[in-house]
Amino acid sequence: MPKNILLIMTDQQRLDHTGFAPGSKVATPNIDRIAEGMGFTNCSTTNPVCTPARSALLTGRYTHQIGMLAMSGDLSQEIPTYPQALQRTGYFTAGIGKFHWLQGWHWEREFGKGHPLAAMKDAMKRYGFDAIWETSGKQLLLRNYCDYAAHLEKKGLLGAFREIQIDSMPNSDDPAVQPWDQALVWPFAEKDHVDIMTADKVLETLDHRPQDKPFFIFCSFCSPHRPFDPPQRYLDQVPYEEVDDFIPGVVPLSEETKKKLYRFRQYYRALIRLIDEQVGRIFARLEDLNLLDDTVILFTTDHGEMMGDHNRSEKACAYRESVTVPTAIRHPDYLRHAITDTPIELTDLTATILDVAGLDPQAALATPWPFGGMAIPGRSLLPLLRGEIEQLRELAFAEGIGTHLTPAGRSPVRWEMATSQRYKYIRFIDLFINLRNPSPESYLQEEFFDLFQDPQEQVNLIDQPGLQAVIERCRRYCQFVNDLTPPVQTRWAPIIE
């Protein structure tokens, strides 16, 4: 029988808040067990925003290919997914926790008027799942109604929970206006916390899975995304510290903002401790069921969190704290206990999952019609785990829409990035450009960093004479990726049979 597969995902977790990463700020002994195979410290998310990154991982494609560059719109169900491919080859598939492949409502929509996810199980299963228990995400529950919302309502907690979400807003990439001081201790029974319930549902699924099939389980936690709401028991495990080690930005942080950030760090790390304990519970159940030696476990997150570095909060930018995501794989046949900084991409996990199941990612996900369905950029990581190669790709690609911070203020931009082990290239495209009279010189900005000499990305070397050859290679790579991965075209009109 093929190996079982378990994908564990968190929401908005920084690389340096994962135990196996050098210089980690928090212990994660259970997540570190996943890195017994290999831990990756240079994995670029395809796009450092929730819906785009998650949709890319599900489909194995870049976000510009699937029309999901920003957190708006719903992922088309015409685009093939890896769980669908696993189903076809005989896997039992279960999705538990936060999916966030749908973002169809406008941000200003009134509360309670989002997606009725609990009533959409049949539609959501079409992404490739036999069983689903879905959480919409903490703040998204202000408008969506998911399985977790139904649980809270049954216990009379939904209204109070939504009040907490309101207090945690607004979201902003400006740390000076973020309500960091709204971090709070979870006020309800510990067993009702969304991440503990998510682990509970994973354990139930393991206990009641079909015995005659291999399984795939997508376990997706909602933390450490805001609001920062750890139960007191986890907060007690993390000391409050005032360590002024923020990476400088073009505008310095105020002392008042730093004070709020110190408190936020404690609560954020407490949530990671909570998640790590849940991962430990899952490991224990796999061992109790004699499944650990037959199960491949993967770990990642959708994007990081700026935490005040570069005078930014949240995500959506190309700085390492936002775009580089902690990633690990435990394959029971290849326990190398290796940590690597070779560049990889989030969609490489998609290809790896399919490879574990004995499927070729190109054959499993490509569609010959309509146009654009053949380009599958992800590459399996199994050759790295087996020790057959030391580098999967020279450069990793990422993209997004966000703001670019300059002394003149924040500018809305679309950006693209190419990262090697040593260098990072970013090009920013001003979204205010007049498309009727475009002038590339007026809307394109570039940055280039030597990550070995300047890991905090402080010195822009784009005009450095001795680096022009490698800079040009990165420019060409970004163009190369765009040329070879056109958008997938979809269809809806009926065809005469």
Side-chain angles (χ1 to χ4, degrees):
M1 184 180 289
K3 287 282 193 288
N4 304 308
I5 306 170
L6 169 64
L7 172 59
I8 298 175
M9 191 172 196
T10 58
D11 192 343
Q12 205 155 312
Q13 184 170 348
R14 280 171 61 123
L15 174 66
D16 64 2
H17 281 62
T18 311
F20 65 79
S24 176
K25 309 293 177 58
V26 61
T28 58
N30 295 299
I31 292 173
D32 292 354
R33 289 189 66 184
I34 305 174
E36 289 175 349
M38 184 168 282
F40 299 88
T41 60
N42 195 10
C43 178
S44 294
T45 184
T46 43
N47 188 318
V49 178
C50 299
T51 311
R54 292 166 179 273
S55 298
L57 179 61
L58 185 68
T59 62
R61 291 172 165 88
Y62 294 129
T63 55
H64 68 262
Q65 292 181 270
I66 55 177
M68 300 296 286
L69 265 174
M71 197 149 66
S72 63
D74 301 336
L75 176 63
S76 171
Q77 293 195 331
E78 287 191 44
I79 300 172
T81 70
Y82 72 84
Q84 292 169 348
L86 295 176
Q87 281 182 320
R88 290 193 297 270
T89 201
Y91 274 77
F92 165 75
T93 60
I96 299 168
K98 181 179 178 180
F99 301 165
H100 206 180
W101 303 313
L102 310 180
Q103 187 59 57
W105 41 265
H106 192 278
W107 292 113
E108 296 179 1
R109 189 156 178 82
E110 62 185 289
F111 295 154
K113 302 295 184 180
H115 296 301
L117 298 173
M120 294 173 57
K121 286 192 183 294
D122 289 342
M124 298 306 293
K125 285 180 179 179
R126 288 199 290 270
Y127 285 114
F129 293 97
D130 297 309
I132 279 177
W133 186 83
E134 185 174 0
T135 62
S136 65
K138 299 177 186 178
Q139 291 180 318
L140 294 170
L141 200 141
L142 278 171
R143 295 175 177 86
N144 291 344
Y145 190 85
C146 59
D147 292 317
Y148 180 58
H151 166 81
L152 293 175
E153 186 171 46
K154 183 177 180 180
K155 300 196 76 171
L157 301 175
L158 182 58
F161 180 86
R162 283 177 164 167
E163 286 296 325
I164 294 172
Q165 315 314 306
I166 293 171
D167 288 343
S168 74
M169 300 178 80
N171 294 346
S172 172
D173 63 6
D174 184 349
V177 301
Q178 282 275 31
W180 302 112
D181 51 342
Q182 292 300 329
L184 55 97
V185 175
W186 177 248
F188 312 119
E190 192 174 284
K191 65 181 180 179
D192 292 318
H193 193 281
V194 62
D195 296 314
I196 294 174
M197 284 203 66
T198 297
D200 288 343
K201 296 298 180 180
V202 171
L203 301 185
E204 290 176 15
T205 302
L206 288 171
D207 289 343
H208 301 295
R209 74 196 187 282
Q211 299 291 312
D212 58 343
K213 292 183 176 184
F215 65 79
F216 166 74
I217 298 176
F218 176 42
C219 166
S220 184
F221 295 107
C222 290
S223 296
H225 191 288
R226 68 171 44 236
F228 312 110
D229 57 355
Q232 186 67 50
R233 179 165 66 90
Y234 298 97
L235 192 64
D236 291 342
Q237 299 175 28
V238 180
Y240 171 82
E241 299 174 315
E242 295 191 359
V243 180
D244 189 353
D245 58 356
F246 300 102
I247 298 174
V250 295
V251 177
L253 294 170
S254 70
E255 291 303 314
E256 179 184 6
T257 299
K258 289 178 184 178
K259 286 284 188 181
K260 293 178 180 179
L261 284 164
Y262 296 142
R263 184 168 180 267
F264 153 60
R265 285 174 168 179
Q266 181 188 19
Y267 282 70
Y268 181 88
R269 292 168 186 172
L271 284 172
I272 292 172
R273 295 289 296 162
L274 181 154
I275 290 172
D276 189 72
E277 185 174 290
Q278 308 318 305
V279 174
R281 295 175 63 208
I282 294 170
F283 262 107
R285 187 60 55 87
L286 289 171
E287 291 171 324
D288 290 344
L289 297 172
N290 295 316
L291 291 171
L292 188 59
D293 291 340
D294 297 311
T295 302
V296 176
I297 306 174
L298 305 93
F299 170 80
T300 195
T301 191
D302 47 2
H303 50 77
E305 159 66 64
M306 292 305 297
M307 297 180 76
D309 288 334
H310 299 279
N311 195 18
R312 297 188 65 110
S313 54
E314 295 283 332
K315 57 268 189 179
C317 63
Y319 285 118
R320 179 178 178 82
E321 295 71 29
S322 165
V323 80
T324 304
V325 293
T327 300
I329 302 176
R330 187 189 190 278
H331 193 301
D333 297 342
Y334 312 112
L335 300 181
R336 299 180 59 208
H337 296 264
I339 303 296
T340 179
D341 65 351
T342 188
I344 65 170
E345 297 174 358
L346 190 64
T347 54
D348 294 335
L349 291 181
T350 313
T352 304
I353 289 169
L354 293 169
D355 194 5
V356 168
L359 300 173
D360 175 73
Q362 178 74 21
L365 296 177
T367 55
W369 183 266
F371 177 76
M374 296 299 292
I376 307 298
R379 306 177 190 178
S380 174
L381 298 169
L382 290 190
L384 281 169
L385 267 70
R386 292 191 291 255
E388 298 168 356
I389 60 174
E390 293 185 358
Q391 187 176 62
L392 186 71
R393 54 174 81 239
E394 178 190 357
L395 293 166
F397 176 82
E399 61 188 340
I401 291 177
T403 59
H404 184 45
L405 188 58
T406 69
R410 285 172 160 79
S411 301
V413 294
R414 177 180 174 182
W415 57 266
E416 296 172 343
M417 181 193 86
T419 306
S420 69
Q421 280 181 299
R422 178 165 185 172
Y423 297 110
K424 174 183 282 190
Y425 166 80
I426 317 158
R427 63 184 188 187
F428 301 92
I429 302 164
D430 191 340
L431 291 179
F432 283 168
I433 186 68
N434 182 352
L435 292 178
R436 295 184 179 182
N437 185 27
S439 172
E441 295 78 13
S442 67
Y443 75 89
L444 182 64
Q445 302 176 56
E446 296 176 298
E447 293 180 349
F448 189 79
F449 301 104
D450 183 336
L451 301 176
F452 285 3
Q453 302 296 323
D454 178 28
Q456 294 188 344
E457 301 172 55
Q458 295 286 292
V459 182
N460 183 8
L461 301 174
I462 195 66
D463 296 322
Q464 191 78 11
L467 294 174
Q468 292 309 302
V470 67
I471 290 171
E472 182 58 26
R473 177 163 179 75
C474 291
R475 284 193 190 109
R476 289 169 62 87
Y477 185 74
C478 287
Q479 190 59 54
F480 172 79
V481 167
N482 278 284
D483 289 345
L484 291 188
T485 55
V488 177
Q489 294 185 249
T490 57
R491 54 173 298 276
W492 64 266
I495 297 174
I496 298 172
E497 299 293 341

